Coordinates of all heavy atoms in Angstrom, one line a residue:
V751 N 98.4 2.8 283.1 CA 99.5 1.9 282.8 C 98.9 0.5 282.4 O 99.3 -0.1 281.4 CB 100.5 1.8 283.9 CG1 101.6 0.8 283.6 CG2 101.2 3.2 284.2
A752 N 98.0 0.1 283.2 CA 97.5 -1.3 283.0 C 96.6 -1.4 281.9 O 96.5 -2.4 281.2 CB 96.8 -1.8 284.3
R753 N 95.8 -0.3 281.6 CA 94.8 -0.3 280.5 C 95.2 0.8 279.5 O 94.5 1.8 279.3 CB 93.4 0.0 281.0 CG 93.0 -0.9 282.1 CD 92.6 -2.3 281.6 NE 91.9 -3.1 282.7 CZ 92.6 -3.8 283.5 NH1 93.9 -4.0 283.4 NH2 91.9 -4.5 284.5
R754 N 96.4 0.6 279.0 CA 97.0 1.7 278.1 C 96.1 2.0 276.9 O 95.7 1.1 276.2 CB 98.4 1.3 277.7 CG 99.2 2.4 277.0 CD 100.6 1.9 276.8 NE 101.3 1.6 278.1 CZ 102.5 1.0 278.1 NH1 103.1 0.7 277.0 NH2 103.0 0.8 279.3
I755 N 95.9 3.3 276.8 CA 95.1 3.8 275.6 C 96.0 4.0 274.4 O 97.0 4.6 274.6 CB 94.4 5.1 276.0 CG1 93.5 4.9 277.2 CG2 93.5 5.6 274.8 CD1 92.9 6.2 277.7
R756 N 95.6 3.4 273.3 CA 96.4 3.6 272.1 C 95.6 4.5 271.1 O 94.8 4.0 270.3 CB 96.7 2.3 271.5 CG 97.6 1.4 272.3 CD 97.9 0.0 271.7 NE 98.9 -0.8 272.4 CZ 98.6 -1.4 273.5 NH1 97.4 -1.4 274.0 NH2 99.6 -2.1 274.1
P757 N 95.9 5.8 271.2 CA 95.1 6.7 270.3 C 95.5 6.5 268.9 O 96.6 6.1 268.5 CB 95.5 8.1 270.8 CG 96.9 7.9 271.5 CD 96.8 6.5 272.1
R758 N 94.6 6.9 268.0 CA 94.8 6.9 266.6 C 94.6 8.3 266.0 O 93.9 9.1 266.6 CB 93.8 5.9 265.9 CG 94.0 4.5 266.4 CD 92.9 3.6 265.8 NE 92.9 2.2 266.4 CZ 92.0 1.3 266.1 NH1 91.0 1.5 265.3 NH2 92.1 0.1 266.7
R759 N 95.2 8.5 264.8 CA 95.0 9.8 264.2 C 93.6 10.1 263.9 O 93.1 11.2 264.0 CB 95.9 9.9 262.9 CG 95.9 11.2 262.3 CD 96.8 11.3 261.1 NE 98.2 11.0 261.5 CZ 99.2 10.9 260.7 NH1 99.0 11.1 259.4 NH2 100.4 10.7 261.1
S760 N 92.8 9.0 263.6 CA 91.4 9.2 263.2 C 90.5 9.6 264.4 O 89.4 10.0 264.2 CB 90.9 7.9 262.6 OG 91.0 6.8 263.5
D761 N 91.1 9.5 265.6 CA 90.3 9.8 266.8 C 90.0 11.3 266.8 O 89.0 11.8 267.4 CB 91.1 9.5 268.1 CG 91.2 7.9 268.3 OD1 90.4 7.2 267.6 OD2 92.0 7.5 269.1
L762 N 90.9 12.1 266.2 CA 90.7 13.6 266.2 C 89.8 14.0 265.0 O 90.2 14.8 264.1 CB 92.1 14.3 266.1 CG 93.0 14.1 267.3 CD1 94.3 14.7 267.1 CD2 92.3 14.6 268.6
S763 N 88.7 13.4 264.9 CA 87.8 13.6 263.8 C 86.8 14.7 264.1 O 86.6 15.1 265.3 CB 87.0 12.3 263.5 OG 86.1 12.0 264.5
R764 N 86.1 15.2 263.1 CA 85.1 16.2 263.3 C 84.0 15.7 264.2 O 83.5 16.5 265.1 CB 84.5 16.6 261.9 CG 83.4 17.7 262.0 CD 83.0 18.1 260.6 NE 81.8 19.0 260.6 CZ 80.6 18.6 260.5 NH1 80.3 17.3 260.4 NH2 79.6 19.4 260.5
R765 N 83.6 14.5 264.1 CA 82.6 13.9 265.0 C 83.0 13.9 266.4 O 82.2 14.2 267.3 CB 82.2 12.5 264.5 CG 81.1 11.9 265.3 CD 80.7 10.5 264.8 NE 80.2 10.6 263.4 CZ 79.9 9.5 262.7 NH1 80.1 8.3 263.2 NH2 79.5 9.7 261.4
T766 N 84.3 13.6 266.7 CA 84.8 13.6 268.0 C 84.7 15.0 268.7 O 84.3 15.1 269.8 CB 86.3 13.1 268.1 OG1 86.3 11.8 267.5 CG2 86.8 13.1 269.5
F767 N 85.1 16.0 267.9 CA 85.0 17.4 268.4 C 83.6 17.8 268.7 O 83.3 18.5 269.6 CB 85.8 18.3 267.5 CG 87.3 18.2 267.6 CD1 88.0 17.7 266.6 CD2 87.9 18.6 268.8 CE1 89.4 17.6 266.7 CE2 89.3 18.6 268.9 CZ 90.0 18.0 267.8
L768 N 82.7 17.4 267.7 CA 81.3 17.8 267.9 C 80.7 17.0 269.2 O 80.0 17.6 269.9 CB 80.5 17.3 266.7 CG 80.7 18.2 265.4 CD1 80.0 17.6 264.2 CD2 80.1 19.6 265.7
R769 N 81.1 15.8 269.3 CA 80.7 15.0 270.5 C 81.2 15.7 271.8 O 80.4 15.8 272.8 CB 81.2 13.6 270.4 CG 80.6 12.7 271.5 CD 81.2 11.3 271.3 NE 80.6 10.6 270.1 CZ 81.3 10.2 269.1 NH1 82.6 10.4 269.1 NH2 80.8 9.5 268.1
A770 N 82.4 16.1 271.8 CA 83.0 16.8 273.0 C 82.3 18.1 273.3 O 82.0 18.4 274.4 CB 84.5 17.0 272.8
G771 N 82.0 18.8 272.2 CA 81.2 20.1 272.3 C 79.8 19.9 272.9 O 79.4 20.6 273.8
L772 N 79.2 18.8 272.5 CA 77.8 18.5 273.0 C 77.9 18.1 274.5 O 77.0 18.5 275.3 CB 77.2 17.4 272.2 CG 76.6 17.9 270.8 CD1 76.1 16.7 270.0 CD2 75.4 18.9 271.0
L773 N 78.9 17.3 274.8 CA 79.1 16.9 276.2 C 79.3 18.1 277.1 O 78.7 18.2 278.1 CB 80.3 15.9 276.3 CG 80.0 14.5 276.1 CD1 81.4 13.7 276.1 CD2 79.1 13.9 277.1
G774 N 80.2 19.0 276.6 CA 80.5 20.2 277.4 C 79.3 21.1 277.6 O 79.0 21.6 278.7
A775 N 78.6 21.3 276.5 CA 77.4 22.1 276.5 C 76.3 21.5 277.4 O 75.6 22.2 278.2 CB 76.8 22.4 275.1
G776 N 76.1 20.2 277.3 CA 75.1 19.5 278.1 C 75.5 19.6 279.6 O 74.6 19.8 280.4
A777 N 76.7 19.4 279.9 CA 77.2 19.5 281.3 C 77.0 20.9 281.9 O 76.6 21.1 283.0 CB 78.6 19.0 281.4
A778 N 77.3 21.9 281.0 CA 77.2 23.3 281.5 C 75.7 23.6 281.7 O 75.3 24.2 282.7 CB 77.8 24.2 280.5
G779 N 74.9 23.2 280.8 CA 73.4 23.4 281.0 C 72.9 22.7 282.2 O 72.1 23.3 283.0
L780 N 73.4 21.5 282.5 CA 72.9 20.7 283.6 C 73.4 21.4 284.9 O 72.7 21.5 285.9 CB 73.5 19.3 283.5 CG 73.0 18.3 284.6 CD1 71.5 18.2 284.7 CD2 73.6 16.9 284.4
Y781 N 74.6 21.9 284.9 CA 75.2 22.6 286.0 C 74.4 23.8 286.5 O 74.0 24.0 287.6 CB 76.7 23.0 285.7 CG 77.3 23.8 286.8 CD1 78.0 23.2 287.9 CD2 77.3 25.2 286.8 CE1 78.6 23.9 288.9 CE2 77.9 26.0 287.8 CZ 78.5 25.3 288.8 OH 79.1 26.1 289.8
F782 N 74.1 24.7 285.5 CA 73.3 25.9 285.8 C 71.9 25.6 286.2 O 71.3 26.2 287.0 CB 73.4 26.9 284.7 CG 74.8 27.5 284.6 CD1 75.7 27.2 283.5 CD2 75.3 28.4 285.5 CE1 76.9 27.7 283.4 CE2 76.5 28.9 285.4 CZ 77.4 28.6 284.4
A783 N 71.3 24.6 285.5 CA 69.9 24.1 285.8 C 69.9 23.6 287.3 O 68.9 23.9 288.0 CB 69.5 23.1 284.9
A784 N 70.9 22.8 287.6 CA 70.9 22.3 289.0 C 71.1 23.4 290.0 O 70.5 23.4 291.1 CB 72.1 21.3 289.1
G785 N 71.9 24.4 289.7 CA 72.1 25.5 290.6 C 70.8 26.3 290.8 O 70.5 26.7 291.9
E786 N 70.1 26.4 289.7 CA 68.8 27.1 289.8 C 67.8 26.3 290.6 O 67.0 26.9 291.4 CB 68.2 27.4 288.4 CG 67.0 28.3 288.4 CD 67.3 29.7 288.8 OE1 68.5 30.1 289.0 OE2 66.3 30.5 289.1
A787 N 67.8 25.0 290.5 CA 66.9 24.1 291.2 C 67.2 24.2 292.7 O 66.3 24.2 293.6 CB 67.1 22.7 290.7
V788 N 68.5 24.2 293.1 CA 68.9 24.4 294.5 C 68.4 25.7 295.1 O 67.9 25.7 296.2 CB 70.5 24.3 294.6 CG1 70.9 24.7 296.0 CG2 70.9 22.9 294.3
R789 N 68.5 26.7 294.3 CA 68.1 28.1 294.7 C 66.5 28.1 294.9 O 66.0 28.5 295.9 CB 68.5 29.2 293.8 CG 68.2 30.6 294.2 CD 68.6 31.6 293.2 NE 67.7 31.5 292.0 CZ 66.5 32.0 291.9 NH1 66.0 32.7 293.0 NH2 65.8 31.9 290.8
L790 N 65.8 27.6 293.9 CA 64.4 27.6 293.9 C 63.8 26.7 295.0 O 62.8 26.9 295.6 CB 63.8 27.3 292.6 CG 64.0 28.3 291.5 CD1 63.5 27.8 290.1 CD2 63.4 29.7 291.8
G791 N 64.6 25.6 295.2 CA 64.1 24.6 296.2 C 64.5 25.1 297.7 O 64.1 24.4 298.6
G792 N 65.2 26.2 297.8 CA 65.5 26.7 299.1 C 66.5 25.8 299.9 O 66.5 25.8 301.1
L793 N 67.3 25.0 299.2 CA 68.3 24.1 299.8 C 69.4 24.9 300.4 O 69.7 26.0 299.9 CB 68.8 23.1 298.8 CG 67.8 22.1 298.2 CD1 68.5 21.2 297.2 CD2 67.1 21.4 299.3
P794 N 70.1 24.4 301.4 CA 71.2 25.2 302.1 C 72.3 25.6 301.1 O 73.0 26.6 301.3 CB 71.7 24.2 303.2 CG 70.5 23.3 303.4 CD 69.8 23.2 302.1
G795 N 72.5 24.7 300.1 CA 73.6 25.0 299.1 C 73.4 26.3 298.4 O 74.4 26.8 297.8
A796 N 72.2 26.9 298.4 CA 72.0 28.1 297.7 C 72.7 29.3 298.3 O 73.0 30.3 297.7 CB 70.5 28.5 297.6
D797 N 73.1 29.2 299.6 CA 73.8 30.3 300.3 C 75.3 30.1 300.4 O 75.9 30.8 301.1 CB 73.2 30.4 301.7 CG 71.7 30.7 301.7 OD1 71.3 31.5 300.9 OD2 71.0 30.2 302.6
R798 N 75.8 29.1 299.7 CA 77.3 28.9 299.7 C 78.0 30.1 299.1 O 77.5 30.8 298.2 CB 77.7 27.7 299.0 CG 77.2 26.4 299.7 CD 77.7 25.2 298.9 NE 77.4 25.3 297.5 CZ 78.2 24.8 296.5 NH1 79.3 24.2 296.8 NH2 77.9 24.9 295.3
R799 N 79.2 30.3 299.5 CA 80.1 31.2 298.9 C 80.6 30.6 297.6 O 80.5 29.4 297.4 CB 81.3 31.5 299.8 CG 82.1 32.8 299.5 CD 83.0 33.2 300.6 NE 83.7 34.5 300.3 CZ 85.0 34.6 300.1 NH1 85.7 33.5 300.1 NH2 85.5 35.8 299.8
F800 N 81.2 31.4 296.7 CA 81.6 30.8 295.4 C 82.7 29.7 295.6 O 82.8 28.8 294.7 CB 82.2 31.9 294.5 CG 83.5 32.5 295.0 CD1 84.7 31.9 294.6 CD2 83.5 33.5 295.9 CE1 85.9 32.4 295.0 CE2 84.7 34.1 296.3 CZ 85.9 33.5 295.9
T801 N 83.4 29.6 296.7 CA 84.3 28.6 296.9 C 83.7 27.3 297.4 O 84.3 26.2 297.5 CB 85.3 29.0 298.0 OG1 84.6 29.4 299.2 CG2 86.2 30.2 297.6
G802 N 82.4 27.3 297.6 CA 81.6 26.2 298.1 C 81.5 26.2 299.6 O 80.8 25.3 300.2
S803 N 82.0 27.2 300.3 CA 82.0 27.2 301.8 C 80.6 27.8 302.3 O 80.0 28.6 301.6 CB 83.1 28.1 302.3 OG 84.4 27.5 302.0
Y804 N 80.2 27.3 303.5 CA 79.0 27.8 304.2 C 79.4 28.8 305.3 O 80.4 28.6 306.0 CB 78.3 26.6 304.8 CG 77.6 25.7 303.7 CD1 78.3 24.6 303.2 CD2 76.3 25.9 303.4 CE1 77.8 23.8 302.2 CE2 75.7 25.0 302.4 CZ 76.4 24.0 301.9 OH 75.9 23.2 300.9
E805 N 78.6 29.8 305.4 CA 78.8 30.8 306.5 C 78.7 30.2 307.9 O 77.6 29.5 308.2 CB 77.9 32.0 306.3 CG 78.3 33.1 307.3 CD 77.5 34.4 307.0 OE1 76.4 34.3 306.3 OE2 77.9 35.5 307.4
T806 N 79.7 30.4 308.7 CA 79.6 29.8 310.1 C 80.3 30.8 311.0 O 81.5 31.0 310.9 CB 80.3 28.5 310.2 OG1 79.8 27.6 309.2 CG2 80.2 27.9 311.5
G807 N 79.6 31.4 311.9 CA 80.2 32.2 313.0 C 80.6 33.6 312.6 O 81.5 34.2 313.2
S808 N 80.0 34.2 311.5 CA 80.4 35.6 311.2 C 80.0 36.5 312.3 O 79.0 36.5 312.9 CB 79.6 36.0 309.9 OG 80.2 35.4 308.8
F809 N 81.0 37.4 312.6 CA 80.9 38.4 313.7 C 80.6 37.8 315.0 O 80.1 38.5 315.9 CB 79.8 39.5 313.3 CG 80.1 40.1 312.0 CD1 79.2 39.9 310.9 CD2 81.2 40.9 311.7 CE1 79.5 40.4 309.7 CE2 81.5 41.4 310.5 CZ 80.6 41.2 309.4
D810 N 80.9 36.5 315.2 CA 80.8 35.8 316.5 C 82.0 34.9 316.6 O 81.9 33.7 316.3 CB 79.5 35.1 316.5 CG 79.3 34.4 317.9 OD1 80.1 34.6 318.8 OD2 78.3 33.7 318.0
P811 N 83.1 35.4 317.0 CA 84.4 34.6 317.0 C 84.2 33.3 317.8 O 84.8 32.3 317.4 CB 85.4 35.5 317.6 CG 84.9 36.9 317.3 CD 83.4 36.8 317.4
D812 N 83.4 33.3 318.9 CA 83.3 32.1 319.6 C 82.6 31.0 318.9 O 82.8 29.8 319.2 CB 82.5 32.4 320.9 CG 83.3 33.2 321.9 OD1 84.5 33.2 321.8 OD2 82.6 33.9 322.7
A813 N 81.8 31.3 317.9 CA 81.1 30.3 317.1 C 81.9 29.9 315.8 O 81.5 29.0 315.1 CB 79.7 30.9 316.6
M814 N 83.0 30.6 315.6 CA 83.8 30.3 314.4 C 84.6 29.0 314.7 O 85.3 28.8 315.8 CB 84.8 31.4 314.2 CG 85.5 31.3 312.9 SD 86.4 32.9 312.4 CE 87.5 33.1 313.8
P815 N 84.6 28.0 313.8 CA 85.2 26.7 314.1 C 86.7 26.9 314.2 O 87.4 27.8 313.7 CB 85.0 25.9 312.8 CG 83.7 26.5 312.2 CD 83.8 28.0 312.5
V816 N 87.3 26.0 315.0 CA 88.8 26.0 315.2 C 89.3 24.8 314.4 O 89.0 23.7 314.6 CB 89.2 25.7 316.7 CG1 90.7 25.5 316.8 CG2 88.7 26.9 317.5
T817 N 90.1 25.2 313.3 CA 90.6 24.2 312.4 C 92.1 24.5 312.2 O 92.5 25.7 312.3 CB 89.9 24.1 311.1 OG1 89.9 25.5 310.5 CG2 88.4 23.7 311.3
S818 N 92.9 23.5 311.8 CA 94.3 23.7 311.5 C 94.6 22.9 310.2 O 93.9 21.9 309.9 CB 95.2 23.2 312.6 OG 95.0 24.0 313.7
W819 N 95.6 23.4 309.5 CA 96.0 22.7 308.3 C 96.7 21.4 308.6 O 97.6 21.3 309.4 CB 96.9 23.6 307.5 CG 97.4 23.0 306.2 CD1 98.6 22.4 305.9 CD2 96.6 22.9 305.0 NE1 98.6 21.9 304.6 CE2 97.5 22.2 304.0 CE3 95.4 23.3 304.6 CZ2 97.0 22.0 302.7 CZ3 95.0 23.1 303.3 CH2 95.8 22.4 302.4
L820 N 96.2 20.3 308.1 CA 96.7 18.9 308.3 C 96.6 18.7 309.8 O 95.6 18.7 310.4 CB 98.1 18.8 307.7 CG 98.2 18.9 306.2 CD1 99.6 18.8 305.7 CD2 97.2 18.0 305.5
V821 N 97.8 18.4 310.5 CA 97.7 18.0 311.9 C 98.4 19.0 312.8 O 99.0 18.7 313.8 CB 98.4 16.6 312.1 CG1 97.5 15.6 311.4 CG2 99.8 16.6 311.5

Side-chain angles (χ1 to χ4, degrees):
V751 174
R753 308 283 190 269
R754 190 170 301 172
I755 301 172
R756 293 178 174 81
R758 302 175 185 175
R759 185 175 299 178
S760 59
D761 292 344
L762 298 176
S763 64
R764 178 173 174 270
R765 183 177 296 176
T766 298
F767 285 108
L768 287 173
R769 188 181 287 118
L772 282 174
L773 274 173
L780 186 57
Y781 175 86
F782 289 109
E786 189 66 11
V788 168
R789 187 184 67 82
L790 294 175
L793 296 179
D797 298 324
R798 292 184 308 148
R799 200 166 183 249
F800 68 91
T801 56
S803 298
Y804 290 86
E805 186 173 19
T806 307
S808 285
F809 306 113
D810 183 3
D812 291 337
M814 189 168 61
V816 174
T817 57
S818 294
W819 181 258
L820 298 181
V821 292

